[in-house]
Amino acid sequence: MNLSYALVTPARNEAENLPRLAESVIAQTLPPAAWVIVDDHSDDGSFAWTEGLAAEHAFIHAKAWEGPNTGALSEGRREARDLHAFRAGLDALPAPADVVIKVDADTAFEPDYFERLLAKFAEQPDLGIAGGGCYEREDGDWVLRSTAASHPRGASRAYRWTLVQDIRALEPRMGWDGLDEIKAELRGYRTQQFPEIAFRHYRPEGGRERHRLRARAVSGRASWFMGYRPSFLILRALHRARRDPAAVAMIWGYFAEAAKRSPRCADTEVVAAVRQRQALQTLLREGFPART
């Protein structure tokens, strides 16, 4: 069964990265039905470049996000501006597709990447969210970033169309691209990363944060919103700190949000499922995950 797919790329000040991404998308052995690039108030010429690209290729569409232009560039991840832009891109698609893929501007793909990924959806009807293995530069080499097998990295994340409305309903807060997995599982779908289908990510997670400690603290704040168990958050931070000492800042970020009584995810069914994943008996049975 041949499935169709569409791409949506949120972009803010990505003039350096978009040409590389465009080259890899145009070279795909299985072209997308549509590719919507949603510009989030760029001031580096990104949108003008995207409009020029769209004029050359009928399947490419340039969309300016009409939401408020607030906050510094480094605040975008915390404000979940990528989710706002992703929603705008979904609205701008000329037609539904069997699979819609959020593709960050700072990625690049082998020519058969999307063909191979679509084959997984065709072969596995219960596959709801998927992505390839994410490689990032480390000391000059491309290294596979380890995550739980059920967690596709947010830089390239594919959704079966039947889950699109669930994505639209998510609260625009950092951590949304973890809660979407829970919602998919509650709908009876699996989520999976396929390391053998590799892509390159040129900006590491939190790369626009000025300090690594701050980036990890932001991750801790997201864990609070997602409803993480405090015991799990501490274990996860200490587990990561073996390779990245800055990971201990996750603990500070989490408890800073707790002290402020910051809002948490309002979907009680989703939060209950998150906490069930993190229960001690589940961890002992399935092994400590790289990410939950």
Side-chain angles (χ1 to χ4, degrees), residues 247-264:
V248 296
M250 294 166 61
I251 300 172
W252 182 89
Y254 179 93
F255 286 101
E257 293 297 289
K260 292 189 296 184
R261 298 182 182 273
S262 295
R264 309 190 85 168

Side-chain angles (χ1 to χ4, degrees), residues 146 232-245 247-248 250-251 287-291:
S146 175
F232 180 86
L233 182 280
I234 293 170
L235 286 172
R236 182 182 177 213
L238 295 177
H239 179 73
R240 288 192 168 192
R242 295 181 304 169
R243 291 191 59 188
D244 177 14
V248 296
M250 294 166 61
I251 300 172
F288 189 80
R291 169 166 179 155

Side-chain angles (χ1 to χ4, degrees), residues 264-284:
R264 309 190 85 168
C265 176
D267 191 325
T268 56
E269 185 181 21
V270 168
V271 172
V274 169
R275 289 181 163 244
Q276 178 57 39
R277 274 189 174 190
Q278 298 169 353
L280 180 60
Q281 59 268 32
T282 302
L283 298 181
L284 292 175

Side-chain angles (χ1 to χ4, degrees), residues 137-270:
R137 280 196 183 278
E138 184 176 299
D139 298 326
D141 297 320
W142 288 99
V143 177
L144 177 65
R145 290 305 180 201
S146 175
T147 63
S150 62
H151 175 67
R153 289 292 288 262
S156 172
R157 180 172 282 223
Y159 299 88
R160 200 174 287 274
W161 186 262
T162 49
L163 290 173
V164 164
Q165 293 306 319
D166 295 275
I167 307 308
R168 291 181 190 274
L170 290 167
E171 296 177 66
R173 294 281 300 275
M174 184 182 168
W176 71 269
D177 56 349
L179 297 181
D180 58 353
E181 296 173 20
I182 302 295
K183 292 184 78 70
E185 290 171 10
L186 291 172
R187 289 274 307 275
Y189 287 102
R190 292 185 306 103
T191 66
Q192 189 171 347
Q193 176 193 160
F194 297 98
E196 70 275 16
I197 308 175
F199 72 93
R200 291 183 174 183
H201 188 208
Y202 286 82
R203 181 188 300 123
E205 181 180 347
R208 276 178 163 167
E209 297 285 353
R210 294 181 179 178
H211 305 288
R212 194 160 184 79
L213 282 170
R214 187 176 182 182
R216 291 305 192 185
V218 168
S219 180
R221 293 190 178 101
S223 299
W224 167 262
F225 169 72
M226 295 171 69
Y228 273 41
R229 293 173 180 266
S231 56
F232 180 86
L233 182 280
I234 293 170
L235 286 172
R236 182 182 177 213
L238 295 177
H239 179 73
R240 288 192 168 192
R242 295 181 304 169
R243 291 191 59 188
D244 177 14
V248 296
M250 294 166 61
I251 300 172
W252 182 89
Y254 179 93
F255 286 101
E257 293 297 289
K260 292 189 296 184
R261 298 182 182 273
S262 295
R264 309 190 85 168
C265 176
D267 191 325
T268 56
E269 185 181 21
V270 168

